[in-house]
């Protein structure tokens, strides 16, 4: 049973460029959440997708957008990259079962460096 | 904004000793989770404790929750060098929707 997978592992981009990160949830999970983790900090919630819609969002600008596909996989897009966007981006999946929340399982992350 | 605050920020112990990490939070919660992270990689889920539970065990891990004090503790018994990692607590802030709010973590070093 594959866990949460993310691609790519590492990415280097230039300021002003756009980037797309990908995530495949754990088998049986239907909810995907994205987090940004700066060096030495705890992860910060970006947004969550359920049934192909953004269900809730953290305090991130509109430059951060996402998508969820019918197979529950998800993409995170960041436009007009800033140096401050350099971070580890983590995807987490979970199962939403009649409003009961279960554990979130995290992928290995994508390390984004903006130069 | 960070919901939880872990204490201490860093902890160094010898193999075989016990390690205790604490987490405090500010608002009411439905559940609290503890995660481990090795060298900036993905987070590994350790334990979820719900607001109506006071204590939970998993192998060498023991988690307690005191909702009146808005605090939790993670105890790792008989620590091993492989336990060296950063440990985070995360709360759902009462919404039970999976929007986790993390603290800044405790960095644990276990010396062989």
């Amino acid at each position: 049973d594959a866990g949460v997978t993310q691609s790519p592992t590492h990415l280097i981009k230039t300021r002003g460029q756009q980037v797309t990160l990908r995530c495949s949830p754990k088998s049986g999970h239907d909810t995907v959440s994205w987090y940004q983790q700066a060096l030495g900090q705890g992860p910060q919630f970006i947004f969550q997708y359920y049934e192909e819609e953004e269900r809730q969002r953290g305090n991130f600008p509109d430059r951060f957008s996402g998508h969820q596909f019918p197979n529950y996989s998800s993409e995170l897009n960041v436009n007009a990259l800033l140096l401050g966007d350099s971070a580890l981006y983590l995807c987490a999946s979970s199962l939403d079962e009649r409003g009961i929340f279960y554990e979130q399982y995290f992928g290995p992350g994508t390390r984004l460096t903006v130069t | 904004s960070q919901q939880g605050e872990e204490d201490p920020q860093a902890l160094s112990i010898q193999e075989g000793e016990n390690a205790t990490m604490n987490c405090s939070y500010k608002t009411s919660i439905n559940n609290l989770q503890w995660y481990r992270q090795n060298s900036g990689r993905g987070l590994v889920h350790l334990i979820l404790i719900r607001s109506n539970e006071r204590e939970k065990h998993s192998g060498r891990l023991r988690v307690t929750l005191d909702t009146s004090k808005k605090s939790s503790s993670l105890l790792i018994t008989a620590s091993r060098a492989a336990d060296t990692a950063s440990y985070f607590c995360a709360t759902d802030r009462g919404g039970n929707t999976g929007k986790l709010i993390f603290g800044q973590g405790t960095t644990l070093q276990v010396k062989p």
Side-chain angles (χ1 to χ4, degrees):
Chain A
D1 176 24
V4 180
T5 60
Q6 292 186 244
S7 63
T9 305
H10 295 90
L11 204 51
I12 300 175
K13 290 286 188 178
T14 304
R15 272 182 303 176
Q17 286 188 318
Q18 178 264 343
V19 68
T20 297
L21 310 181
R22 295 177 176 81
C23 171
S24 291
K26 181 178 169 64
S27 177
H29 285 184
D30 57 6
T31 304
V32 173
S33 302
W34 287 92
Y35 294 81
Q36 180 196 66
Q37 186 179 23
L39 201 60
Q41 303 292 318
Q44 293 209 4
F45 178 83
I46 303 175
F47 44 52
Q48 182 183 84
Y49 277 85
Y50 174 70
E51 293 187 342
E52 301 180 49
E53 290 192 358
E54 183 183 292
R55 180 158 67 174
Q56 53 183 332
R57 189 179 182 91
N59 189 26
F60 279 81
D62 292 344
R63 297 187 298 109
F64 290 77
S65 63
H67 189 78
Q68 186 179 35
F69 299 94
N71 66 353
Y72 306 118
S73 67
S74 176
E75 289 182 348
L76 164 65
N77 301 292
V78 187
N79 295 322
L81 285 167
L82 304 173
L83 295 179
D85 295 332
S86 294
L88 181 69
Y89 288 84
L90 296 163
C91 167
S93 74
S94 56
L95 175 64
D96 187 324
E97 191 169 73
R98 298 186 302 276
I100 300 173
F101 174 71
Y102 297 92
E103 298 89 343
Q104 288 195 11
Y105 290 84
F106 282 78
T110 294
R111 174 73 62 187
L112 172 65
T113 302
V114 182
T115 61
Chain B
S1 61
Q2 302 286 2
Q3 158 80 318
E5 291 185 7
E6 283 92 343
D7 170 55
Q9 289 191 343
L11 183 59
S12 182
I13 60 174
Q14 295 294 135
E15 217 169 19
E17 294 181 339
N18 295 341
T20 299
M21 287 158 267
N22 302 296
C23 168
S24 61
Y25 56 92
K26 299 174 183 175
T27 62
S28 62
I29 60 171
N30 279 312
N31 63 70
L32 184 145
Q33 304 182 53
W34 284 91
Y35 288 86
R36 185 185 74 228
Q37 185 176 42
N38 291 86
S39 302
R41 302 184 66 183
L43 297 165
V44 175
H45 185 270
L46 298 176
I47 287 184
L48 179 152
I49 185 165
R50 301 194 187 276
S51 59
N52 60 353
E53 298 175 309
R54 291 297 167 258
E55 189 171 310
K56 209 162 182 181
H57 296 255
S58 177
R60 294 183 296 112
L61 307 180
R62 171 177 167 250
V63 167
T64 61
L65 179 64
D66 187 336
T67 53
S68 66
K69 295 182 179 178
K70 292 188 171 55
S71 68
S72 174
S73 68
L74 169 67
L75 168 67
I76 304 174
T77 60
S79 63
R80 306 166 181 167
D83 294 327
T84 295
S86 293
Y87 292 81
F88 295 91
C89 69
T91 59
D92 73 347
R93 221 168 183 176
N96 203 33
T97 59
K99 176 182 177 179
L100 295 180
I101 308 297
F102 285 84
Q104 296 206 355
T106 292
T107 300
L108 172 65
Q109 181 185 31
V110 182
K111 300 175 184 176

